[in-house]
Amino acid sequence: MLGPDPFLPGFDLHDIKAGAIRIRASVGGAGPPVLLLHGHPQTHATWQAVAPILAERFRVVALDLRGYGDSDKPEGGERHVNYSKRAMAADAVAVMRHLGHEAFALIGHDRGGRVAHRLALDHPEAVTRLAVLDIAPTATMYARTDKDFAARYFWWFFLIQPAPLPERLIAADPEFFLRTHVDGQSKTSGSPSPELFAEYLRVYRDPATRHAICEDYRAAATIDLEHDAADADERIEVPLLALWGAKGTVGQTYDVLATWREKALDVQGHALNCGHTLQEERPDLVLDALASFLANEGR
């Protein structure tokens, strides 16, 4: 154990080996296990207003995905395989097993939602229920891309360019790029808080982080799509909750529930009055939705 988590009150930080990769995890609470996966450009600290409340009833684990936060940042490998959602999902399963949890509820926002989707397909025995925040399935979003989506989500097409083009351009002013990205996604004044933005900027200043983020997106546009195509007929069988921001691109571009009903058998969900980063903009509404969705966990 590394000590108390400065962002999640009552949680402790751990470095956990997932195979050859070291993953930073924050752990707190007692009860049925729940795993939280963040998105880009966040770290596990994004769950600051959600995790401590969940920890009143659950054993909560919030980790930094490989390449993000204070987790290891390996090279991308051939065809970006080391940042495939399959590799990231395997990290998450290894962390939970290290902590003694063979099966758990899974909640993922943004990139973490894509990892969670892959985890539920690759390790169905490990997932009791799945919540995805402000995403439609990756393959669906790429397949239905049009000018409006490409303009709104330009980084999906910028970050996938061959190295080192995006890495060097972002390096010219990481704070400007990060601020522009975050401000464009959030539709709630004051979100993220200055302390959260400072934390995201701390890790974004690291060239290894920026390269890893590009590799994450490169994998999403290549090897992840191959994995999705290979099991396109598979359906997630556990209950799936989809939440999205009514003011965000995903909610304004897709019939979110319909896209998930193409991937899962038991889907529910609704929009929240916010932008992309639900857990930061409207943690109260996220917690309300999760309280109902997780009500039967461990019973």
Side-chain angles (χ1 to χ4, degrees):
M1 188 173 71
L2 301 174
D5 189 328
F7 289 95
L8 305 188
F11 281 61
D12 292 312
L13 294 172
H14 301 255
D15 277 345
I16 298 173
K17 292 293 285 187
I21 300 296
R22 179 190 54 82
I23 297 294
R24 175 65 54 87
S26 186
V27 184
V34 176
L35 175 61
L36 306 178
L37 302 178
H38 68 85
H40 167 256
Q42 289 82 26
T43 70
H44 79 272
T46 190
W47 303 104
Q48 184 177 47
V50 170
I53 305 302
L54 288 178
E56 295 173 2
R57 231 197 96 202
F58 301 99
R59 184 65 164 169
V60 179
V61 180
L63 57 78
D64 290 345
L65 298 170
R66 67 162 65 190
Y68 290 82
D70 292 306
S71 289
D72 278 350
K73 299 162 180 62
E75 284 300 313
E78 186 176 356
R79 298 172 59 248
H80 320 294
V81 65
N82 290 332
Y83 287 91
S84 68
K85 304 311 156 290
R86 175 160 286 161
M88 291 179 164
D91 292 342
V93 170
V95 166
M96 294 303 278
R97 287 178 178 165
H98 175 88
L99 294 170
H101 306 306
E102 294 294 326
F104 45 89
L106 180 56
I107 302 164
H109 170 250
D110 187 75
R111 313 308 293 174
R114 303 186 191 287
V115 175
H117 182 195
R118 174 46 57 191
L119 195 159
L121 291 172
D122 285 359
H123 306 275
E125 75 291 344
V127 181
T128 59
R129 56 190 57 229
L130 170 64
V132 291
L133 276 56
D134 210 61
I135 63 168
T138 304
T140 303
M141 293 176 72
Y142 269 122
R144 300 179 189 176
T145 290
D146 59 14
K147 178 179 178 293
D148 180 65
F149 173 73
R152 290 183 181 217
Y153 264 41
F154 73 91
W155 56 90
W156 271 43
F157 308 93
F158 169 57
L159 297 177
I160 68 175
Q161 297 305 310
L165 177 63
E167 288 94 334
R168 289 189 63 176
L169 293 179
I170 296 169
D173 196 340
E175 183 172 0
F176 176 79
F177 182 84
L178 181 64
R179 174 57 74 185
T180 301
H181 181 86
V182 166
D183 287 353
Q185 293 277 73
S186 176
K187 306 301 179 185
T188 302
S189 178
S191 178
S193 67
E195 71 169 347
L196 279 180
F197 183 81
E199 173 66 359
Y200 304 154
L201 181 59
R202 176 184 71 83
V203 292
Y204 223 84
R205 291 191 188 279
D206 181 354
T209 297
R210 298 194 297 269
H211 177 61
I213 286 167
C214 292
E215 287 296 292
D216 172 17
Y217 280 85
R218 290 171 183 135
T222 54
I223 194 169
D224 288 344
L225 293 180
E226 294 173 17
H227 292 160
D228 288 343
D231 54 21
D233 294 331
E234 297 294 321
R235 295 293 179 268
I236 296 168
E237 296 185 4
V238 298
L240 185 148
L241 173 69
L243 301 174
W244 63 94
K247 300 177 183 179
T249 296
V250 170
Q252 294 176 354
T253 304
Y254 304 97
D255 181 335
V256 179
L257 292 181
T259 67
W260 285 108
R261 286 175 177 143
E262 296 171 355
K263 304 297 181 182
L265 300 179
D266 180 0
V267 177
Q268 59 182 284
H270 56 272
L272 307 184
N273 184 30
C274 60
H276 174 62
T277 315
L278 283 62
Q279 68 277 8
E280 295 178 3
E281 296 181 57
R282 292 305 307 265
D284 55 333
L285 298 182
V286 171
L287 284 164
D288 285 347
L290 292 178
S292 175
F293 185 62
L294 299 174
N296 294 319
E297 280 295 289
R299 295 181 182 175

